[in-house]
Amino acid sequence: MGKDVVDGWLDVAKLVAGGGGNKTPYEEFAGAIGRDIYVDIAGWHLYLRDMGTGVPGSSYKMSQALAQQLGPQLPKGVREADVEALLKKIPVKLGAGKIKASLYDVMPAMCVGDLARLCEDFARR
Protein backbone atom coordinates (compact mmCIF):
# COMPACT_ATOMS: atom_id res chain seq x y z
CA MET A 1 0.00 0.00 0.00
CA GLY A 2 1.48 3.27 -1.06
CA LYS A 3 1.01 6.97 -0.73
CA ASP A 4 -2.26 6.94 -2.74
CA VAL A 5 -3.89 4.71 -0.15
CA VAL A 6 -2.82 6.95 2.70
CA ASP A 7 -3.92 10.10 0.86
CA GLY A 8 -7.28 8.55 0.02
CA TRP A 9 -7.86 7.44 3.57
CA LEU A 10 -6.89 10.87 4.88
CA ASP A 11 -9.79 12.31 2.87
CA VAL A 12 -12.19 9.92 4.62
CA ALA A 13 -10.55 10.56 7.98
CA LYS A 14 -10.90 14.30 7.51
CA LEU A 15 -14.60 13.90 6.80
CA VAL A 16 -15.31 11.75 9.83
CA ALA A 17 -13.14 13.68 12.24
CA GLY A 18 -14.40 17.09 11.17
CA GLY A 19 -17.89 17.20 12.69
CA GLY A 20 -19.25 17.08 16.20
CA GLY A 21 -21.28 14.06 17.21
CA ASN A 22 -22.09 11.12 14.99
CA LYS A 23 -24.74 12.70 12.73
CA THR A 24 -24.05 12.91 9.02
CA PRO A 25 -26.15 14.26 6.14
CA TYR A 26 -26.33 10.69 4.86
CA GLU A 27 -27.55 8.96 8.04
CA GLU A 28 -30.16 6.78 6.28
CA PHE A 29 -27.61 5.74 3.66
CA ALA A 30 -25.08 4.96 6.42
CA GLY A 31 -27.73 2.88 8.21
CA ALA A 32 -28.36 0.79 5.10
CA ILE A 33 -24.63 0.29 4.54
CA GLY A 34 -24.12 -0.70 8.18
CA ARG A 35 -27.04 -3.12 8.13
CA ASP A 36 -26.23 -4.86 4.83
CA ILE A 37 -22.47 -4.65 4.21
CA TYR A 38 -19.78 -6.54 6.11
CA VAL A 39 -16.20 -7.67 6.01
CA ASP A 40 -15.31 -11.33 6.35
CA ILE A 41 -12.40 -12.29 8.55
CA ALA A 42 -11.86 -16.03 8.91
CA GLY A 43 -15.59 -16.63 8.46
CA TRP A 44 -16.63 -13.95 10.95
CA HIS A 45 -18.88 -11.25 9.56
CA LEU A 46 -18.15 -7.78 10.93
CA TYR A 47 -20.88 -5.43 9.80
CA LEU A 48 -19.72 -1.94 8.92
CA ARG A 49 -22.06 -0.42 11.53
CA ASP A 50 -19.85 -2.11 14.14
CA MET A 51 -16.49 -1.43 12.50
CA GLY A 52 -14.55 1.66 13.55
CA THR A 53 -12.77 3.86 11.05
CA GLY A 54 -9.39 3.59 12.73
CA VAL A 55 -9.22 7.37 13.17
CA PRO A 56 -7.88 8.01 16.69
CA GLY A 57 -10.45 9.70 18.92
CA SER A 58 -13.32 9.21 16.46
CA SER A 59 -16.45 7.26 17.27
CA TYR A 60 -17.53 7.21 13.62
CA LYS A 61 -18.24 3.83 12.14
CA MET A 62 -17.08 2.61 8.75
CA SER A 63 -20.66 2.73 7.44
CA GLN A 64 -20.82 6.45 8.24
CA ALA A 65 -17.45 7.13 6.64
CA LEU A 66 -18.45 5.35 3.43
CA ALA A 67 -21.80 7.16 3.32
CA GLN A 68 -20.00 10.49 3.73
CA GLN A 69 -17.59 9.63 0.93
CA LEU A 70 -20.09 8.09 -1.51
CA GLY A 71 -23.15 10.23 -0.72
CA PRO A 72 -22.06 13.39 -2.55
CA GLN A 73 -21.32 11.29 -5.66
CA LEU A 74 -24.76 9.64 -5.80
CA PRO A 75 -26.46 12.26 -8.02
CA LYS A 76 -23.69 11.82 -10.64
CA GLY A 77 -23.97 8.04 -10.52
CA VAL A 78 -21.69 5.59 -8.74
CA ARG A 79 -20.60 2.49 -10.62
CA GLU A 80 -19.28 -0.69 -9.04
CA ALA A 81 -15.81 0.25 -10.33
CA ASP A 82 -16.06 3.53 -8.36
CA VAL A 83 -17.01 1.63 -5.22
CA GLU A 84 -14.10 -0.79 -5.73
CA ALA A 85 -11.65 2.08 -6.23
CA LEU A 86 -12.75 3.74 -2.99
CA LEU A 87 -12.63 0.49 -0.99
CA LYS A 88 -9.12 -0.21 -2.27
CA LYS A 89 -7.96 3.14 -0.82
CA ILE A 90 -9.20 2.48 2.72
CA PRO A 91 -6.70 0.64 4.92
CA VAL A 92 -7.90 -1.79 7.56
CA LYS A 93 -5.56 -2.71 10.38
CA LEU A 94 -5.60 -6.34 11.42
CA GLY A 95 -3.88 -7.88 14.43
CA ALA A 96 -3.65 -4.54 16.25
CA GLY A 97 -1.92 -3.01 13.26
CA LYS A 98 0.56 -5.80 12.50
CA ILE A 99 -1.06 -6.26 9.09
CA LYS A 100 -2.82 -3.79 6.81
CA ALA A 101 -5.23 -4.75 4.07
CA SER A 102 -7.60 -2.65 2.04
CA LEU A 103 -11.29 -2.64 2.90
CA TYR A 104 -11.80 -4.12 -0.56
CA ASP A 105 -9.53 -7.06 0.30
CA VAL A 106 -11.50 -8.03 3.41
CA MET A 107 -14.96 -7.52 1.90
CA PRO A 108 -16.62 -10.37 0.00
CA ALA A 109 -17.32 -9.64 -3.68
CA MET A 110 -21.04 -10.05 -2.97
CA CYS A 111 -20.90 -7.16 -0.48
CA VAL A 112 -19.00 -4.95 -2.93
CA GLY A 113 -21.81 -5.52 -5.43
CA ASP A 114 -24.44 -4.94 -2.74
CA LEU A 115 -22.78 -1.64 -1.82
CA ALA A 116 -22.86 -0.55 -5.47
CA ARG A 117 -26.57 -1.47 -5.63
CA LEU A 118 -27.25 0.51 -2.45
CA CYS A 119 -25.62 3.50 -4.14
CA GLU A 120 -27.93 3.07 -7.13
CA ASP A 121 -31.00 2.71 -4.87
CA PHE A 122 -30.20 5.83 -2.86
CA ALA A 123 -29.36 7.80 -6.00
CA ARG A 124 -32.93 7.20 -7.24
CA ARG A 125 -34.44 8.73 -4.08
Side-chain angles (χ1 to χ4, degrees):
M1 298 190 136
K3 184 179 180 330
D4 291 337
V5 172
V6 173
D7 289 345
W9 181 241
L10 290 177
D11 291 341
V12 174
K14 188 179 358 171
L15 282 171
V16 298
N22 285 339
K23 290 293 181 194
T24 71
Y26 303 102
E27 203 62 38
E28 187 179 354
F29 185 37
I33 292 170
R35 179 189 64 240
D36 297 342
I37 309 301
Y38 60 86
V39 298
D40 184 309
I41 301 174
W44 289 76
H45 293 176
L46 175 60
Y47 283 84
L48 299 191
R49 68 175 173 249
D50 300 320
M51 184 178 181
T53 60
V55 176
S58 174
S59 61
Y60 267 69
K61 299 300 180 182
M62 190 61 73
S63 58
Q64 293 170 306
L66 286 174
Q68 281 287 94
Q69 195 72 15
L70 292 167
Q73 298 175 40
L74 294 179
K76 297 178 242 171
V78 177
R79 299 170 299 131
E80 189 164 340
D82 301 324
V83 171
E84 289 178 9
L86 175 63
L87 295 175
K88 287 176 181 180
K89 292 179 182 177
I90 300 173
V92 175
K93 294 178 185 177
L94 303 171
K98 290 189 273 182
I99 298 173
K100 280 187 188 174
S102 73
L103 187 55
Y104 178 81
D105 289 336
V106 294
M107 186 178 289
M110 177 186 77
C111 288
V112 174
D114 289 348
L115 181 54
R117 279 185 285 288
L118 277 175
C119 290
E120 292 171 8
D121 292 346
F122 274 83
R124 284 193 286 265
R125 293 181 178 197

